[in-house]
């Protein structure tokens, strides 16, 4: 019985190993040179290191990266336009509508390269590692990441339930284009 | 031989009806543990459970010790890259957590579970099934946290898990949740044992053991149990609030929504300071027993020692804020807690002087247990003196969170708890196993431990005064701390080596040690009145206590009480102060349900880390197994 129990416990948490990895000092090499994530099906270019989907998984399934992304989301003032995900002068991030695609690599690319109508390019301003952390966090706003990895509440006023308590929403590829995307300002 | 016979109208066989030769075998059959795995897991014998508790406690001591070795290796030289910051945080947290929650508290209770029923002259502990349950909960909780650590989900916020660092924002993942649930496991098992000890001492003492004849060991364990009952709920509350904050978005510690991070520190240290005494009081229990036996006279100032134990218990709840002097207290508050922190030195001092007076007036026999007690005097007093320094706000503010504090509490805890404990193992090992530990190896162990300990921890006073902070995973070479740290690491190696000698001694002696006999040290308390190891029923006849030092007063024959049932488990309940025979009550039979309940509780606790539904679905299952556990049987009670 004790054996069974420990095996069950081991299986339950084995998935968590990746989830708990923390790299406090990522190798600086990774943040230089060609971005590994720029390239996706919707933009031309050369395929970088690894497939983007795998890189996304490594970030989305890791609690540390997600919480770092949440911190950086505030620190780089993403809030300024996107508020707490509900949208302001920029589109909402917590719904299932994505103008430029809602996959991890789409979001990373949006942050890195910028988009028309106001989204600036952060290439060279935010290290690649951190761009991917923010992208993973943006995915968690819609609860596209596993609950056990999604960030919990901040020690701050609570504008909405924290990411790990949101219901999972199945990803909708494409989604509908919100008004801000249909009518360029 | 004075003999009191308790007559009862029932038709059951009493020990007065059985021939003397048959009695031990028939009692052993009634009280024994069934063969086979199920039997072993169902047992409610306090000696078997106590032995498991002690072995498990030492297992966690060795794990915590290995964590300490890793810490010392990392700190041995500046700018070391042996262990990275992330793993280092987990390791030092596991070291503190294991030593405080999985070794410090349970080992004192473990010794009490084994020895208190023997010392008060009864046949089993009160609530023996609860005892089995508490052991399994403790074991599962300890395994859980170490398995989590092995899977890189070890807690990494220190053994005190301060918010906001351990809170939802700054501690992502499940690490702090596992820590909080480990506290819950420890809490449940510690409270269960505390209740058993209190009831055993109050109601199951042998007739004649009035309050002033209770051995000092039992007094210390009794006061300790009360400390556990009053201190532990605070940390349980705290850890529950923490896990609710983390998992369910509550705001107990969120200042922006009206919570207070300092609330955590108050709740934690309201437990955490008495915790230090929960670890130390069993140490005083061991010292009182060992000093009396090896000084060959009763402990000097019995009433003074008992009263100072009780005073320590009360005062320990009035000084928790001295852990928080740098959080910005009002002056008056700081002054009050400085005064109360210094005041607790008085009862501790009284006890130390009583023991020294005992040795002074006696004819000390310097065997290994007494050597460890002498080591305790030396180390604990040094730690107490640095404690007086830390109780004063100006000094505390300067050395807060430095290695000076680390040095202080290792002197107090290792001096006050581990040295007496090792002495106690040398002292009671013959009772546990029937064989003596080797004296020569014991002396090696003692000297290695004493020298190694001081080389390891004394330099930390200096590195602390030179500004080395706690909990750092490395330090630059130019700080001038490298030589001190290297010396500490070498001393730690010596200290660890002493425990390897101990381990070797235990393994070798439990197989081939010298046969001990009933009372190898010629001690005076009741556990030495029975065989080594004791039979399942502890005593063929319940002893009748005529003196505080019973085995010294009644050297020819021990007065006993007769009239208890032979073919069913029956214990004698006595009155609280006078210990007059009051009732004969049946003691529960072995059952597997405590184990099943512990498994269910474990599943609920671990499951609740991942989903709140674990509590909702687990509660009915837990109710079901507890109903099965308490299912009444139609046994007739004799009054």
């Amino acid at each position: 019985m004790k054996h069974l129990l420990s095996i069950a416990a081991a299986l339950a948490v084995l998935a968590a190993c990746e989830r708990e990895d923390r790299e406090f000092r990522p190798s600086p090499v990774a943040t230089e040179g060609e971005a590994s994530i720029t390239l996706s099906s919707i933009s031309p270019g050369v395929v970088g290191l690894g497939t983007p989907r795998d890189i996304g998984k490594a970030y989305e399934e890791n609690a540390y990266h997600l919480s770092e992304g949440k911190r950086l989301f505030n620190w780089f003032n993403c809030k300024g336009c996107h508020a707490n995900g509900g949208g302001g002068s920029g589109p909402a991030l917590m719904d299932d509508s994505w103008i430029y695609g809602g996959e991890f690599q789409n979001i990373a690319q949006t942050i890195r390269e910028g988009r028309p109508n106001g989204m600036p390019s952060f290439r060279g301003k935010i290290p690649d590692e951190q761009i991917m952390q923010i992208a993973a966090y943006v995915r968690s706003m819609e609860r596209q990441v596993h609950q056990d990895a999604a960030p919990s509440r901040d020690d701050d006023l609570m504008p909405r339930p924290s990411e790990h308590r949101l219901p999972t929403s199945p990803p909708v590829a494409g989604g509908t284009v919100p008004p801000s995307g249909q009518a360029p300002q | 031989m004075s003999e009191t016979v308790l007559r009862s109208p029932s038709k059951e066989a009493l020990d007065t009806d059985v021939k003397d030769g048959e009695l031990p075998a028939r009692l052993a059959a009634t009280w024994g543990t069934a063969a086979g795995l199920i039997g072993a897991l169902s047992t409610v014998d306090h000696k078997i459970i106590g032995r498991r508790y002690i072995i498990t406690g030492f297992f966690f001591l060795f794990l915590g010790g290995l964590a300490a070795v890793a810490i010392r290796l990392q700190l041995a030289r500046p700018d070391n890259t042996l262990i990275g910051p992330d793993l280092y945080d987990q390791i030092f947290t596991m070291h503190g957590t294991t030593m405080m929650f999985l070794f410090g508290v349970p080992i004192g209770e473990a010794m009490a579970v084994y020895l208190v029923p023997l010392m008060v002259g009864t046949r089993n502990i009160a609530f023996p099934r609860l005892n089995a349950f508490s052991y399994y909960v403790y074991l599962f909780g300890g395994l859980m946290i170490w398995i989590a650590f092995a899977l890189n989900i070890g807690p990494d916020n220190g053994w005190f898990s301060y918010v906001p660092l351990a809170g939802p924002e700054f501690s992502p993942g499940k690490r702090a949740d596992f820590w909080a649930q480990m506290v819950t496991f420890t809490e449940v098992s510690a409270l269960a044992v505390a209740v058993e000890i209190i009831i055993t001492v109050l109601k199951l003492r042998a007739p004649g053991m009035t309050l002033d004849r209770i051995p000092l060991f039992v007094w210390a364990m009794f006061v300790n149990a009360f400390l556990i009952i009053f201190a532990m709920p605070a940390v349980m509350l705290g850890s529950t609030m923490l896990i609710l904050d983390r998992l369910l978005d509550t705001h107990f510690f969120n200042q922006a929504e009206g919570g207070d991070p300092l609330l955590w520190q108050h709740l934690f240290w309201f437990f955490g300071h008495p915790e230090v005494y929960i670890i130390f009081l069993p140490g005083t229990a061991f010292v009182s027993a060992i000093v009396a036996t090896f000084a060959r006279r009763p402990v000097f100032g019995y009433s003074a020692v008992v009263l100072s134990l009780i005073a320590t218990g009360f005062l320990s709840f009035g000084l928790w804020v001295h852990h928080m002097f740098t959080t910005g207290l009002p002056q008056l508050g700081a002054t009050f807690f400085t005064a109360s922190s210094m005041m607790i030195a008085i009862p501790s001092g009284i006890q130390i002087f009583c023991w020294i007076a005992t040795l002074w007036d006696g004819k000390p026999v310097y065997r290994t247990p007494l050597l460890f007690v002498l080591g305790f005097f030396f180390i604990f007093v040094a730690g107490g003196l640095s404690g007086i320094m830390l109780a004063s706000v100006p000094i505390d503010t300067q050395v807060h969170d430095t290695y000076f504090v680390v040095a202080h509490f290792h002197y107090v805890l290792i001096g006050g708890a581990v040295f007496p404990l090792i002495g106690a193992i040398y002292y009671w090992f013959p009772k546990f196993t029937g064989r003596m530990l080797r004296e020569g190896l014991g002396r090696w162990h003692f000297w290695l431990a004493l020298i190694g300990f001081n080389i390891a921890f004394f330099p930390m006073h200096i590195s602390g005064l030179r500004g080395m902070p706690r909990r750092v995973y490395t330090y630059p070479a130019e700080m001038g701390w490298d030589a001190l740290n290297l010396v500490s690491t070498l001393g730690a190696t010596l200290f660890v080596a002493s425990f390897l000698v101990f381990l070797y001694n235990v393994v070798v002696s439990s197989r081939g040690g010298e046969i001990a006999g009933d009372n190898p040290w010629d001690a005076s308390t009741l556990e030495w009145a029975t065989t080594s190891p004791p039979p399942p029923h502890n005593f063929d006849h319940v002893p009748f206590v005529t003196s505080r030092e019973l085995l010294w007063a009644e050297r020819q024959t021990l007065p006993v009480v007769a009239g208890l049932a032979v073919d069913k488990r029956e214990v004698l309940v006595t009155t609280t102060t006078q210990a007059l025979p009051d009732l004969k009550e049946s003691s529960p039979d072995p059952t597997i349900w405590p184990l099943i309940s512990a498994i269910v509780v474990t599943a609920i606790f671990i499951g609740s880390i991942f989903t709140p539904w674990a509590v909702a679905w687990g509660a009915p299952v837990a109710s079901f197994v507890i109903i099965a556990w308490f299912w009444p049987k139609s046994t007739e009670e004799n009054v």
Side-chain angles (χ1 to χ4, degrees), chain B residues 370-411:
Chain B
L370 189 62
L371 289 181
F372 274 95
V373 167
L374 298 179
F376 150 79
F377 286 146
F378 177 68
I379 296 172
F380 181 75
V381 169
L385 291 177
S386 60
I388 300 276
M389 292 167 76
L390 287 169
S392 114
V393 177
I395 299 180
D396 183 80
T397 313
Q398 288 300 312
V399 297
H400 184 80
D401 269 353
T402 67
Y403 262 81
F404 188 84
V405 178
V406 177
H408 159 70
F409 69 70
H410 280 93
Y411 265 76

Side-chain angles (χ1 to χ4, degrees), chain B residues 20-34:
Chain B
D20 262 4
E22 283 174 29
L23 187 62
R26 283 185 65 179
L27 278 170
T30 307
W31 287 86
T33 293

